[in-house]
Amino acid sequence: MSDPYPSSQGGAAVASPPAASTGDYYLPVGLPQPAPYPEGLAKEYWEATRRHELVVQRCDKCNVFQWGPEFLCYACHSWDLSYVQVSGRARIFSWERPWYPVHPALKEKLPYIVVLVELPDAGNVRMVGNLLGDPLQEVVIGAEVEAVFEDHNDVKTPFTLVQWRVV
Amino acid sequence: MSDLTIRGKTAIVGLGETRYYKRGAAPDPEFKLTLQAIMLAAEDAGIDVRDIDGFASYSNDRNDPPRIQSALGIKHVGFSNMFWGGGGGGGSGAVGNAAAAVAAGYCDIAVAYRGLAQGQFGRFGQGAAIPVAPGGMAFTAPYGLMSPAQMFAMRVNRFMHDHGVNQEALRAVALASYHHAQYNPNAVMHGRPLTEEDYDNSRWIVEPFHLFDCCQENDGAAAVIVTSAERAKDLKHKPAYILAAQQGSDYRQAAAAHNAPDYGTSNFKSLAPRLYKQAGLGPKEVDVLQSYENFTGGVMMSIVEHDFCKPDEVNDFFQLDNFRFDGGKLPLNTSGGNLAECYMHGLELITEAVRQIRGTAPCQLEKEVNISMVTSGPMVQPVSNLILSREAKP
Ligand SMILES: [Zn+2]
């Protein structure tokens, strides 16, 4: 069976989606910063976002995509899993618009939109992010979106968030 | 599913509740409130509190059985148990575990309890003030998805999208709780009725949840005493026999970053049929339902998944008139529940389910209540549910 999903380690290149300009954040600074699991399970994912690549865990044995990451494949129990790069194209699966500041940093930025997107070229695994643009825009479930990499370079441990915008 | 069962072998025989307070308003610390509730429950049952030899709680309750045992001077404890998971998922589960322990002979008299002082300890409704979000939280918290309301709003939104559900369906759940709280002097929202206009005009917390779709945050403690069906016959009150109690979670519901394959669900799809099978009855036999309201949308999906109505009938079925204690098809949250009585993490739903069997509820149904049901903790993992009965073997 041919492999339509090249590995991020040396596979065929997948065009990197566009990047948001540095310092241009959807949500204010001060929210908790992402860290890999204590065991390091998501380390490769967060490293890939720094290169503006979107990667997902996939089972080497049965090719099932798995997200969030885990030590073994839920489908076949293989321990051999790799991170593979995916296109960054997705569909909105669900969404919500928070109006209440659950964190002090959010008081200046209300409302905002959180989307849950599914990735058709990665077994429809889902990712959470913000929907860029007007926070009051109408959000359509099923709408096509693309990943946008939001670099946070002006912190002690720089990181990159994966945001989404309607195509 | 195993044929071994606790069906009809145990009963709830005692109820204890402290006064219910607004968050931060309790005059006493959480542990003291917990002791008070347990002592009140023993008194209500007509037993010596020192005869309690089993403890069951949930949601990482801070009030541990060894300290309670020492404080009360109990000679021997044969069972002490914590139901895994957060939210109110373990309310019915703690009762079920208490019943299982009694039926299996670990203890003779068990108490299921919950103490909660969000004033003394942290609030549920705020995101954790942490600089770094590790593990699964890394995929949500940096995007401003941190509170329980935000964790569940997208599940509800997807269900509403799939089944064309209107906002008025969620409103009906809130109206039912507030309607019943007006008859219940113990309810924190007693004397504060809610109209359709109040609901519609209330601020959004997170779309699709208005303020009134969200549970309160409260202080207090509650406890229920469970013992064998034989022993229950000789105690003060009419026993509420435990006909069925189930607990658990559907396939990969806790997958990180909102990857549960079945997403728009309350997580009761596999539990509900097991509960009815164990009880030997179906939803038509249920006289009154207490359904845990972390958020109204979770109640909606719980009711659907327990087969009280089909997903595509929600807009028609979810009307205040169907949920009223006085003549509704499915009297719902008849004390005011988490929304309007008190957020005692759903243990107050168990005490109300028992009162309906006893015939002592402020919103007592006019007809005799034979079957009284509770669903605990929609959308969390694991969840649990419970069927109580007037007869041990109906
Ligand atoms: Zn596999």
Side-chain angles (χ1 to χ4, degrees), chain A residues 59-64 73-78 81:
Chain A
C59 175
D60 294 346
K61 194 173 159 202
C62 77
N63 287 328
V64 114
C73 166
Y74 73 85
C76 77
H77 295 180
S78 167
L81 295 148

